């Protein structure tokens, strides 16, 4: 059976977490004993440096005998974003161009911001399926006029603040 380990926010990894990853990935660790082991580590670029012991561990080929690939997630340009919106709504790019332009202007192409904004627009009823038209429709002027924070972190903060006190308390316990 394939085993997958996904660790997010590795830029904040503590010594114990780094030691655990090191043991798993070492030449006599679990990864080497199980040929179906997949490790996915995510971090924010610019919030780490080469002195971080995790990067020393992961980059030390004597310790880790594994193939690695770096994947960078950058902001989308307007064409990529238009394609994403078009494919998400199952409509031609010609029909979604105006919505794509608004979303690009508001998010500057940040993929996380784009997806969260689209979910938010749907929840607010500004982006919704029309049964009579058999396609998605949206309210351009209301979307264009909507005030949004300048960054994703503030967008998430506002989303969390809009939750009920019970839900926020549950999130605190779960985190």
């Amino acid at each position: 059976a394939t085993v997958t380990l996904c660790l997010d926010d590795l830029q904040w990894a503590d010594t114990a977490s780094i030691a655990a990853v090191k043991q798993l990935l070492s030449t006599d660790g679990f990864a080497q004993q199980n040929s179906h082991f997949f490790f996915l580590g995510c971090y924010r670029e610019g919030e780490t440096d080469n002195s971080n012991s995790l990067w020393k561990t992961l980059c030390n080929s004597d310790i880790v005998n594994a193939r690695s690939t770096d994947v960078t997630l950058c902001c989308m340009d307007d064409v990529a974003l238009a394609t994403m919106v078009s494919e998400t709504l199952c409509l031609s790019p010609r029909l979604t161009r105006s919505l794509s332009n608004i979303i690009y202007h508001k998010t500057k192409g940040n993929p996380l911001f784009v997806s969260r904004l689209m979910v938010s627009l749907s929840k607010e009823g500004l982006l919704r399926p029309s049964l009579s038209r058999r396609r998605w429709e949206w309210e351009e002027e209301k979307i264009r006029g909507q005030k949004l924070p300048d960054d994703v972190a503030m967008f998430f903060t506002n989303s969390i603040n809009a939750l009920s006190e019970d839900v926020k308390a549950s999130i605190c316990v779960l985190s």
Side-chain angles (χ1 to χ4, degrees):
T2 301
V3 175
T4 301
L5 174 63
C6 178
L7 298 177
D8 196 8
D9 292 330
L10 287 176
Q11 71 276 6
W12 296 317
D14 61 358
T15 306
S17 300
I18 292 169
V21 170
K22 182 177 178 178
Q23 180 58 40
L24 284 171
L25 298 178
S26 68
T27 53
D28 58 345
F30 180 78
Q32 301 309 314
Q33 296 171 17
N34 183 340
S35 61
H36 300 288
F37 180 77
F38 179 72
F39 173 72
L40 174 65
C42 304
Y43 67 94
R44 292 185 188 178
E45 193 171 58
E47 293 190 29
T48 62
D49 59 28
N50 291 335
S51 66
N52 184 317
S53 59
L54 176 64
W55 309 123
K56 287 181 181 177
T57 297
L58 295 179
C59 296
N60 187 337
S61 60
D62 295 336
I63 296 172
V64 180
N65 183 22
R67 193 169 40 104
S68 68
T69 304
D70 287 331
V71 178
T72 303
L73 182 59
C74 300
C75 288
M76 297 181 281
D77 62 18
D78 57 341
V79 174
L81 189 141
T83 300
M84 178 185 169
V85 171
S86 170
E87 290 180 2
T88 299
L89 301 180
C90 299
L91 293 169
S92 75
R94 180 182 57 78
L95 294 173
T96 60
R97 184 175 297 125
S98 62
L99 178 62
S100 298
N101 289 339
I102 295 168
I103 292 173
Y104 182 77
H105 175 75
K106 290 188 172 292
T107 64
K108 299 172 183 62
N110 180 312
L112 178 59
F113 204 174
V114 169
S115 66
R116 298 312 307 160
L117 177 59
M118 290 184 71
V119 168
S120 174
L121 293 174
S122 179
K123 284 183 179 178
E124 294 172 23
L126 299 176
L127 173 63
R128 61 190 172 278
S130 169
L131 296 177
S132 61
R133 297 177 71 192
R134 303 176 98 179
R135 68 180 201 111
W136 287 88
E137 60 184 20
W138 50 91
E139 298 186 39
E140 280 183 40
E141 291 310 312
K142 287 184 180 179
I143 295 170
R144 188 175 281 116
Q146 194 176 40
K147 289 282 189 191
L148 292 177
D150 291 332
D151 65 5
V152 180
M154 189 53 93
F155 184 78
F156 278 113
T157 300
N158 292 347
S159 297
I160 290 170
N161 287 338
L163 298 172
S164 72
E165 292 303 317
D166 290 342
V167 172
K168 287 191 274 189
S170 297
I171 290 172
C172 286
V173 169
L174 293 172
S175 66

